[in-house]
Amino acid sequence: MRKILFNLAAMKKVSEKNLVIVESPAKAKTIQKFLGDNFVVKSSFGHIRDLAKNDLSVDINNHFKPTYVIDPDKKKIIDELKKASEEASTVWLASDEDREGEAIAWHLSEALNLKKDKRKRIVFHEITKKAIDEAIKNPRDIDYNLVNAQQARRILDRLVGYELSPILWKKIKSNLSAGRVQSVAVRLIVEREKEIQAFQSKSFFKVTGIFNANGQTFKAELDKKFDTLEEAQSFLEKCKKAQFNIESVETKPTKRSPSAPFTTSTLQQEASRKLGFSVAQTMTIAQRLYEAGYITYMRTDSVNLSDLALETAEEVIKDFYGKKYHQRRQFTTKSKNAQEAHEAIRPTYINKLQIEGDKNEQRLYELIWKRTVASQMADALLEKTVAKISISNSSEKFIAQGEVIKFDGFLKLYIESTDDDQDTSSENNSLLPPLKEGQNVIPQQIIALQRFTHHPPRYTEASLVKKLEELGIGRPSTYAPTISTIQKRDYVVKKDKEGTPREYVQLVLENNTIKKEIKTENTGAEKGKLFPTDLGIVVTEFLIRYFPEIMDYQFTATVEEEFDEIARGKLDWVKMLEKFYYPFHKDVVKTIEESERSTGERILGIDPKTGKKVIARIGRFGPLVQIGEQSDTDKPVYAKIPKNLSIHTITLEEALSLFQLPKVLGQYQNKDVVVNIGRFGPYVMYNGTFASIPKEEDPYTITLERAIELIEAKQSSNQSRIIQNFESEGIQVLNGRFGPYISYNKKNYKIPKDKDPKSLTLDEIIAIIGNDYKQELAEVAAKPEETNKDNKKITTKKTAASSTSKKTTSSKGKKK
């Protein structure tokens, strides 16, 4: 009897229908492979509900109660999930294990009307059969502390954006936005730019000697730098008569340890340095790797590795490199506010060296694999030698350093990059010859090289993430969207900067003679750096002036800590919002009433032709220069500032040059060729043809010959676009972005697949256009005939078209 009951229970369990809901279809496909036939895995395609876009959707007077709406694009998905959930015995909510994932699980439960006894919440850090089975065995309920932390962040950010953005529209420019984290991120970039603009580079002379000892040469650097050419020259004069002896030699062992496995932040930084990936690109590729089951969850600030991962790494290291290369380590997460207990980012199967996928997926996987395995490898053992060389007639000393790798350890596999683009491997690893105290060494060359102090570096996407993390601003899930948002809003632009030539002096003492050379180098070149736009600077200055608390780094970090407290169940989310909102709202009201319009206006000087002020400022469509003021009798004239110039740095001369356009470059076939700048950028115009000037070319220096090339190219492009032209009917058959189509009366019509666009007849085209063409003819026929001053009937184009049509499309096929 007991056996029968057991079998019935087992049969019931197998026959139960289980619905598993994950966030992405790729993840659903991977998980479906691990579960049996009694499980159906479907995707919600991310968030299904959110605050309405065109409304505050937060009831401030009712404990900040949010009103959520289902995304219109997700209604079909919700209908499908509802149907599937009604047919299922159990619904497993398997969204990601962070706060966003927890909120998605809650939104699904609410939208699908799931009862508590029917839903089960499961989480996993990796998509493997073992992890999925373990999650199914250990379900839990929705964690409302995590949901409330996510809601608090979403509502607070909505309140900030909803109340600040209209102020920016009114006081600066329409369609602007502000955000609690994004505005602070822009501030970092703006303040760095101001540091750079204020920086005064100073020159100095660095002295290096190449010495000979026992027939071997080695390099040493003087322990002092000279401020002037005269000081450097004076020192080299001394060196002509000096004796150089080894004052001391110190050799000591050192070691270098590997870096911790990747967190979200360190992965973004290292992928930028080693692979050239943007922050958003890194996260997109990592998401694909995770959903395919290749790596663990990619949004984490933990450096912890599971015991299984540590054991597998040990096996791989011993198999590939030998026992002496292994050193088990468990790293500790430094961030006190690290989110829910995650693992570091690592390969799901550490013994899997290669994966299927595109080139970038393979490159990122390889980076993660190397970093993970290297973290469990032995220290690199080195021997460092420092030799001091005394100068008989001077107190300065030359310092020679050499480094020898005695055991490469983790360096055999992986070397971390640094923000200044120098690998740790590029440190001075040169060998020094055997040296003894008191030994005389002979200088072959002593070089005094003029160098210059550098301004603070501009941020890259990766170094900005590092700074935000250091300040406690944002969390793993927010770095990439924050950096994308500030660029989309046109507050920040990512670009390369060309270097400029600069002369420098080199003094060389050789064979007791000092030789002076003037050399040239390219300096100031930058790649992939973040620059604030004029708009970004003006908005930042306005917000700092009127909302200093919102823009304060410490305040923003404190808010993040409060979200963490809510997630841990130690802070009430409504009280947190009350504490923030009411003082903030008072500042909003005060700013609306008292603040002045801010355009970043800067008076550059006086126009010598008109005697009027020349002003640079932010206008309705962006940065501009104007000659004259609104109060003048004549209206001001305006010129758009090109992207390579700024209202904060443009000179009077540069500003006046912008008014050269529009300009006639010359004539082509007896008609003017004009260059100008429009709303969408610089262009040349000829006889109704407009051709854009490429971004890398300057409209102020473009030649007539180059303009003609652009015009001819555009005309050729336009001509190749036309397949057939029925001019009298106003009909064209054109080549479009998505293939050939018919154009008539400002409307486009698809061409059936069985029709050849080149051989379409007018009758066939009219049949495709159908009622639109007939209606147009009817409207023309209904108009009274026009007459000229001699009372003669005028045949309009449409009348002629109508006549032609009647001849060609008689219902009886007769020609009149």
Side-chain angles (χ1 to χ4, degrees):
M1 184 69 179
R2 189 177 296 171
K3 188 175 180 182
I4 293 169
L5 289 171
F6 176 81
N7 288 337
L8 286 171
M11 286 171 65
K12 183 183 177 184
K13 187 177 179 182
V14 172
S15 64
E16 283 181 355
K17 289 185 179 180
N18 292 274
L19 172 65
V20 180
I21 305 176
V22 296
E23 290 182 32
S24 77
K27 192 193 292 187
K29 191 176 179 182
T30 307
I31 292 173
Q32 186 70 70
K33 296 175 186 176
F34 301 133
L35 297 173
D37 293 338
N38 57 325
F39 284 87
V40 174
V41 186
K42 289 187 175 291
S43 168
S44 70
F45 292 81
H47 276 280
I48 56 159
R49 297 198 313 178
D50 197 4
L51 303 174
K53 289 182 180 178
N54 300 320
D55 185 40
L56 177 60
S57 298
V58 177
D59 189 347
I60 294 162
N61 299 317
N62 186 20
H63 308 293
F64 296 92
K65 184 181 179 181
T67 301
Y68 294 106
V69 296
I70 292 174
D71 185 329
D73 295 336
K74 298 290 180 73
K75 284 183 178 177
K76 187 178 178 182
I77 293 167
I78 290 296
D79 289 342
E80 290 176 0
L81 291 176
K82 265 187 180 177
K83 186 179 178 183
S85 66
E86 287 166 1
E87 295 172 355
S89 305
T90 305
V91 178
W92 305 78
L93 302 172
S95 48
D96 291 342
E97 60 174 326
D98 57 12
R99 295 173 197 169
E100 289 295 323
E102 204 69 26
I104 288 172
W106 175 70
H107 282 298
L108 280 166
S109 180
E110 294 290 304
L112 302 178
N113 297 315
L114 299 178
K115 292 181 180 179
K116 188 176 179 179
D117 60 350
K118 185 172 181 175
R119 73 181 185 217
K120 290 185 180 181
R121 174 79 172 112
I122 55 171
V123 294
F124 35 83
H125 182 61
E126 60 187 28
I127 303 176
T128 61
K129 181 166 177 45
K130 182 179 178 181
I132 304 301
D133 288 345
E134 196 65 29
I136 295 287
K137 288 176 187 174
N138 298 285
R140 59 170 173 81
D141 195 16
I142 292 168
D143 187 331
Y144 287 94
N145 290 330
L146 297 183
V147 173
N148 289 337
Q150 190 274 345
Q151 282 199 106
R153 176 192 288 279
R154 185 73 188 94
I155 292 168
L156 189 147
D157 288 347
R158 169 57 64 93
L159 293 171
V160 171
Y162 201 83
E163 299 216 353
L164 282 189
S165 297
I167 298 176
L168 298 181
W169 304 344
K170 186 176 181 181
K171 303 295 183 178
I172 301 176
K173 182 179 176 285
S174 60
N175 298 321
L176 297 182
S177 73
R180 181 183 55 84
V181 176
Q182 75 174 52
S183 296
V184 173
V186 176
R187 179 182 181 177
L188 282 168
I189 296 164
V190 168
E191 290 187 340
R192 178 57 57 85
E193 193 66 25
K194 288 182 176 179
E195 286 179 56
I196 292 168
Q197 297 303 332
F199 182 80
Q200 297 291 326
S201 182
K202 295 179 180 178
S203 75
F204 62 91
F205 284 82
K206 174 184 175 182
V207 180
T208 306
I210 298 172
F211 295 91
N212 187 296
N214 304 320
Q216 290 181 272
T217 60
F218 64 96
K219 189 182 286 187
E221 191 173 311
L222 194 70
D223 62 359
K224 179 181 178 180
K225 294 177 174 63
F226 299 107
D227 293 331
T228 65
L229 175 63
E230 290 73 24
E231 288 175 328
Q233 190 141 6
S234 174
F235 174 75
L236 293 188
E237 289 290 347
K238 279 186 185 180
C239 289
K240 285 181 180 181
K241 302 172 183 177
Q243 294 292 316
F244 299 87
N245 295 295
I246 302 296
E247 182 180 279
S248 65
V249 179
E250 184 181 359
T251 300
K252 61 179 181 180
T254 62
K255 68 177 182 179
R256 199 180 301 168
S257 299
S259 300
F262 282 130
T263 62
T264 302
S265 167
T266 55
L267 176 64
Q268 290 169 350
Q269 291 168 52
E270 193 73 338
S272 172
R273 293 186 293 238
K274 282 190 180 292
L275 307 178
F277 290 172
S278 69
V279 167
Q281 185 181 14
T282 298
M283 294 313 292
T284 299
I285 297 168
Q287 179 91 32
R288 293 204 298 262
L289 292 175
Y290 168 63
E291 290 173 355
Y294 291 134
I295 65 170
T296 53
Y297 193 55
M298 66 287 155
R299 293 189 185 94
T300 176
D301 37 22
S302 170
V303 290
N304 180 59
L305 291 176
S306 67
D307 289 339
L308 178 61
L310 294 172
E311 290 163 10
T312 311
E314 181 178 353
E315 291 173 8
V316 168
I317 292 163
K318 287 179 178 178
D319 286 348
F320 276 83
Y321 305 109
K323 188 177 179 180
K324 66 179 180 178
Y325 277 92
H326 175 254
Q327 183 176 333
R328 187 181 177 115
R329 289 184 179 82
Q330 187 58 276
F331 293 87
T332 305
T333 301
K334 294 178 182 178
S335 172
K336 66 176 180 178
N337 295 314
Q339 274 193 32
E340 302 72 57
H342 294 166
E343 260 194 280
I345 302 170
R346 64 165 175 84
T348 309
Y349 304 100
I350 295 175
N351 54 4
K352 191 180 187 72
L353 273 67
Q354 293 179 325
I355 61 160
E356 294 178 359
D358 64 33
K359 187 178 178 182
N360 284 341
E361 288 170 358
Q362 291 175 352
R363 291 172 73 201
L364 190 64
Y365 179 83
E366 182 184 21
L367 187 68
I368 294 167
W369 186 90
K370 284 185 174 180
R371 176 81 164 223
T372 305
V373 175
S375 76
Q376 299 304 307
M377 292 179 73
D379 293 334
L381 304 178
L382 306 100
E383 186 177 81
K384 191 171 184 178
T385 302
V386 179
K388 292 183 181 178
I389 303 169
S390 63
I391 306 166
S392 60
N393 57 1
S394 181
S395 61
E396 288 85 12
K397 300 183 191 319
F398 279 96
I399 310 294
Q401 297 186 61
E403 196 174 73
V404 179
I405 296 175
K406 294 292 187 180
F407 174 63
D408 53 6
F410 76 94
L411 294 176
K412 194 174 191 73
L413 177 64
Y414 179 83
I415 302 168
E416 184 179 17
S417 298
T418 58
D419 284 326
D420 58 6
D421 298 323
Q422 292 179 348
D423 255 345
T424 50
S425 60
S426 67
E427 293 177 9
N428 187 1
N429 291 327
S430 60
L431 282 168
L432 292 178
L435 300 171
K436 294 180 181 178
E437 289 184 14
Q439 178 182 353
N440 177 251
V441 291
I442 309 299
Q444 290 188 344
Q445 269 189 348
I446 297 179
I447 302 163
L449 189 66
Q450 186 182 20
R451 296 288 81 196
F452 299 85
T453 55
H454 293 283
H455 60 67
R458 288 183 174 89
Y459 288 106
T460 61
E461 288 189 355
S463 64
L464 180 60
V465 166
K466 185 178 181 182
K467 186 66 177 178
L468 290 170
E469 187 179 42
E470 286 172 1
L471 293 171
I473 297 168
R475 290 295 181 262
S477 62
T478 65
Y479 299 137
T482 295
I483 288 173
S484 296
T485 297
I486 62 178
Q487 292 179 67
K488 285 177 186 174
R489 300 296 187 197
D490 197 33
Y491 293 151
V492 171
V493 62
K494 179 181 174 181
K495 64 180 181 179
D496 301 338
K497 181 175 178 282
E498 290 184 6
T500 54
R502 176 176 66 189
E503 289 186 344
Y504 67 97
V505 179
Q506 178 178 275
L507 300 175
V508 180
L509 170 60
E510 190 172 18
N511 299 325
N512 232 31
T513 302
I514 298 173
K515 184 181 177 183
K516 179 181 176 182
E517 290 183 80
I518 305 294
K519 296 191 170 186
T520 303
E521 63 184 352
N522 195 45
T523 183
E526 296 181 278
K527 188 173 182 181
K529 295 296 178 71
L530 299 175
F531 291 75
T533 63
D534 286 334
L535 189 60
I537 294 170
V538 170
V539 168
T540 299
E541 289 175 345
F542 179 87
L543 292 175
I544 289 173
R545 181 177 177 184
Y546 294 104
F547 298 93
E549 190 173 34
I550 289 287
M551 297 295 283
D552 181 73
Y553 300 131
Q554 186 56 50
F555 169 78
T556 310
T558 300
V559 170
E560 294 289 355
E561 290 173 5
E562 289 176 340
F563 291 147
D564 295 333
E565 289 291 291
I566 295 167
R568 289 192 282 267
K570 294 182 178 180
L571 179 63
D572 182 85
W573 70 281
V574 174
K575 288 180 180 177
M576 181 264 181
L577 289 175
E578 286 173 347
K579 177 187 165 188
F580 163 81
Y581 178 73
Y582 293 112
F584 164 69
H585 184 66
K586 282 182 182 178
D587 288 341
V588 168
V589 173
K590 185 179 177 183
T591 303
I592 291 170
E593 293 173 352
E594 299 178 6
S595 65
E596 297 176 357
R597 183 169 172 77
S598 179
T599 61
E601 183 175 299
R602 189 168 150 254
I603 298 172
L604 307 179
I606 303 297
D607 174 26
K609 291 182 181 178
T610 63
K612 294 181 179 181
K613 286 181 182 178
V614 181
I615 300 167
R617 65 177 179 86
I618 296 287
R620 186 182 173 191
F621 298 113
L624 60 83
V625 175
Q626 68 182 62
I627 297 175
E629 299 178 88
Q630 294 294 340
S631 57
D632 293 342
T633 307
D634 298 328
K635 286 186 177 181
V637 290
Y638 304 92
K640 184 178 178 181
I641 296 179
K643 288 188 176 180
N644 62 318
L645 296 174
S646 163
I647 63 172
H648 297 90
T649 57
I650 191 171
T651 63
L652 177 62
E653 184 182 5
E654 288 170 333
L656 292 174
S657 72
L658 300 177
F659 291 92
Q660 296 172 7
L661 304 182
K663 180 172 70 175
V664 177
L665 294 175
Q667 288 204 323
Y668 175 53
Q669 296 178 353
N670 298 321
K671 291 185 180 178
D672 288 343
V673 176
V674 178
V675 61
N676 199 3
I677 296 177
R679 186 176 174 186
F680 302 105
Y683 64 90
V684 288
M685 178 180 66
Y686 165 77
N687 194 27
T689 297
F690 294 81
S692 295
I693 298 173
K695 288 181 181 179
E696 62 275 9
E697 295 184 35
D698 185 355
Y700 295 96
T701 58
I702 192 169
T703 63
L704 176 63
E705 290 73 19
R706 175 58 178 148
I708 292 170
E709 282 180 16
L710 293 173
I711 288 162
E712 288 179 340
K714 185 62 182 287
Q715 287 176 332
S716 176
S717 172
N718 288 345
Q719 194 60 38
S720 63
R721 187 168 169 258
I722 300 171
I723 299 172
Q724 289 199 73
N725 191 6
F726 298 90
E727 194 169 348
S728 63
E729 304 292 333
I731 294 173
Q732 288 184 314
V733 182
L734 302 172
N735 265 317
R737 185 180 173 189
F738 303 105
Y741 66 96
I742 297 165
S743 174
Y744 171 69
N745 200 22
K746 297 182 180 179
K747 288 185 180 180
N748 299 333
Y749 303 85
K750 286 183 179 179
I751 298 172
K753 289 182 180 179
D754 60 339
K755 299 289 184 182
D756 179 9
K758 294 178 184 177
S759 59
L760 276 173
T761 66
L762 186 56
D763 283 353
E764 288 175 318
I765 290 171
I766 290 170
I768 294 168
I769 294 173
N771 291 332
D772 285 351
Y773 186 79
K774 293 173 185 176
Q775 184 179 345
E776 184 75 8
L777 293 180
E779 287 173 3
V780 172
K783 287 182 182 178
E785 291 180 343
E786 298 178 31
T787 59
N788 61 17
K789 63 181 180 179
D790 297 322
N791 207 33
K792 291 182 180 178
K793 187 166 66 174
I794 299 173
T795 303
T796 63
K797 181 179 175 182
K798 279 293 179 185
T799 307
S802 177
S803 176
T804 306
S805 178
K806 285 175 183 176
K807 289 178 183 177
T808 56
T809 60
S810 172
S811 60
K812 295 181 180 179
K814 296 177 182 179
K815 290 186 181 179
K816 296 183 181 179

